[in-house]
């Protein structure tokens, strides 16, 4: 047999056929069916993985949303904040809400005299 | 050099066709993935068997590779041919499995690989030749084995094999050359003996 050329780019059909015979895997149909059946399981598993991957941030996000919503609702329904308590000076300086009637004031002044 | 020529029209059409199939498979179309599996089942199993020898292990590795490819389909670049991309995954899966197997157990040498034994009839002769070839193939370094199978059995070019094995094209040429030389000697001896 002739020594092959080092840069021979053509396939050697005799050798190729002999090797093909050695490596022949037989009927492809059962193999294909097996792969496709497993592929279905992989798809299901990958969906599960996607859901699992999203589950943790999803739960965290839901928790944050519910806490925020609770806070906002609670704040809206709670009593308004208590008014700032006036100091003594404020009370003394501030004009009375219902000034006394002039006749009563005068009568009391006259009565004293 | 044939390797440097642009791909023929048929190859370009096939490449486009496969890019479409991959896109459809990524979109969840089972039939598209089925076509790809059918198309590459033979070569994937042969490459895996070239690495592993044992047909059952080879089929398991080829299956793992197909499923791994399904998971990674979105990473496939449709501008490149699909076959080499897939076969790289197959070769890696087979190599990984062989390494794990080597750790797990020490394989006994195949029996019945005796060279030059009695050959009572043609069927037995063919079987014996197959066994000798299988043994010779198993004795080659793994990369050389895959290279010669991809080149002489599957018809891939040196340029296409290079990315599959992750080595330069010149190294592929060298690997194919040395593998052929060893295997051709075996075939020639057999013919002369017959």
């Amino acid at each position: 047999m002739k020594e092959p050329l080092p840069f021979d780019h053509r396939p050697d059909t005799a050798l190729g056929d002999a090797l093909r015979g050695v490596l022949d895997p037989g009927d492809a149909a059962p193999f294909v069916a097996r792969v496709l059946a497993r592929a279905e399981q992989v798809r299901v598993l990958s969906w599960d993985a996607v859901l699992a991957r999203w589950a943790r941030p999803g739960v965290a996000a839901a928790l944050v949303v519910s806490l925020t919503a609770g806070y906002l609702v609670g704040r809206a329904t709670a009593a308004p904040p208590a008014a700032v308590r006036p100091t003594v000076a404020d009370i003394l300086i501030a004009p009375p809400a219902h000034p006394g009637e002039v006749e009563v004031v005068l009568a009391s002044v006259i009565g004293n005299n | 050099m044939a390797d440097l020529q642009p791909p023929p029209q048929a190859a370009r059409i096939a490449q486009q066709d496969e890019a479409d199939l991959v896109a459809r498979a990524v979109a969840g179309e089972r039939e598209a993935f089925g076509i790809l599996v059918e198309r590459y089942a033979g070569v994937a199993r042969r490459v895996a068997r070239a690495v592993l020898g044992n047909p059952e292990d080879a089929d398991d590795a080829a299956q793992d590779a197909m499923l791994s490819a399904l998971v990674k389909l979105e990473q496939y670049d449709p501008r490149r041919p699909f076959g080499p991309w897939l076969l790289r995954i197959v070769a890696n899966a087979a190599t990984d499995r062989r390494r794990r197997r080597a750790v797990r157990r020490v394989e006994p040498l195949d029996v019945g690989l005796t060279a030059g034994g009695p050959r009572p009839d043609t069927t037995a002769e063919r079987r014996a030749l197959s066994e000798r070839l299988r043994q010779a193939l198993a004795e080659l370094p793994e990369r050389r084995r895959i290279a010669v199978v991809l080149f002489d059995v599957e018809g891939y070019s040196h340029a296409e094999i290079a990315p599959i094995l992750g080595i330069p094209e010149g190294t592929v040429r060298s690997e194919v050359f040395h593998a052929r030389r060893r295997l051709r000697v075996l075939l020639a001896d057999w013919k002369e003996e017959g």
Side-chain angles (χ1 to χ4, degrees):
Chain A
M1 187 170 274
K2 281 199 305 188
E3 180 76 2
L5 295 170
F7 298 110
D8 191 355
H9 61 265
R10 293 161 301 181
D12 179 335
T13 50
L15 181 59
D17 288 346
L19 286 174
R20 184 179 284 268
V22 166
L23 299 171
D24 181 31
D27 189 10
F31 174 80
V32 171
R34 204 177 82 175
V35 171
L36 294 181
R38 283 284 294 128
E40 280 308 301
Q41 293 173 349
V42 168
R43 277 185 208 278
V44 171
L45 286 174
S46 64
W47 270 112
D48 288 350
V50 168
L51 292 175
R53 210 163 48 231
W54 279 99
R56 195 174 296 173
V59 167
L63 198 64
V64 168
V65 167
S66 59
L67 284 174
T68 308
Y71 171 74
L72 292 175
V73 168
R75 196 174 141 192
T77 55
V84 180
R85 295 183 67 183
T87 60
V88 173
D90 288 339
I91 294 168
L92 292 175
I93 294 168
H98 300 286
E101 290 179 21
V102 176
E103 292 82 1
V104 174
V105 174
L106 287 176
S108 112
V109 170
I110 291 165
N112 285 338
N113 290 333
Chain B
M1 287 276 181
D3 287 353
L4 301 178
Q5 289 173 356
Q9 183 77 3
R12 279 200 297 273
I13 291 170
Q15 189 173 326
Q16 182 58 42
D17 168 47
E18 287 182 346
D20 288 344
L21 285 171
V22 170
R24 285 163 51 197
V26 169
E29 201 178 308
R30 293 165 195 175
E31 194 188 340
F33 181 66
I35 294 170
L36 289 169
V37 171
E38 279 177 14
R39 195 173 286 182
Y40 283 96
V43 57
R45 295 168 82 196
R46 282 190 290 272
V47 167
R49 192 163 179 191
V51 175
L52 288 157
N54 179 301
E56 287 79 27
D57 277 357
D59 275 6
D60 287 347
Q63 175 181 297
D64 288 350
M66 295 280 191
L67 297 173
S68 176
L70 173 63
V71 172
K72 295 177 185 170
L73 268 184
E74 287 179 11
Q75 297 171 21
Y76 162 67
D77 178 356
R79 292 168 299 180
R80 295 174 176 275
F82 180 74
W85 181 81
L86 175 67
L87 291 177
R88 179 165 192 152
I89 297 174
V90 172
N92 287 340
T95 302
D96 287 349
R97 184 169 284 265
R98 190 182 56 75
R99 285 191 190 128
R100 287 202 305 272
R101 191 178 68 183
V103 170
R104 225 170 37 234
R105 66 172 191 259
V106 178
E107 292 251 314
L109 282 176
D110 282 349
V111 292
L113 300 180
T114 51
R119 290 167 287 147
D121 55 38
T122 312
T123 310
E125 276 182 26
R126 202 171 293 138
R127 192 176 301 144
L129 173 60
S130 289
E131 291 300 333
R132 288 183 68 186
L133 255 181
R134 192 171 295 147
Q135 187 187 35
L137 201 59
E139 286 169 1
L140 294 176
E142 187 176 295
R143 200 168 73 178
R144 197 165 287 178
R145 218 181 307 160
I146 299 174
V148 75
V149 168
L150 287 173
F151 191 79
D152 281 325
V153 180
E154 308 300 340
Y156 282 94
S157 69
H158 295 122
E160 288 170 322
I161 296 169
I164 296 173
L165 293 176
I167 55 177
E169 193 179 327
T171 312
V172 175
R173 287 177 195 282
S174 167
E175 297 287 28
V176 171
F177 168 72
H178 287 294
R180 280 173 153 191
R181 189 165 62 178
R182 172 75 190 97
L183 296 171
R184 277 170 169 163
V185 166
L186 182 79
L187 284 175
D189 286 353
W190 185 260
K191 281 178 184 166
E192 281 164 17
E193 282 173 27

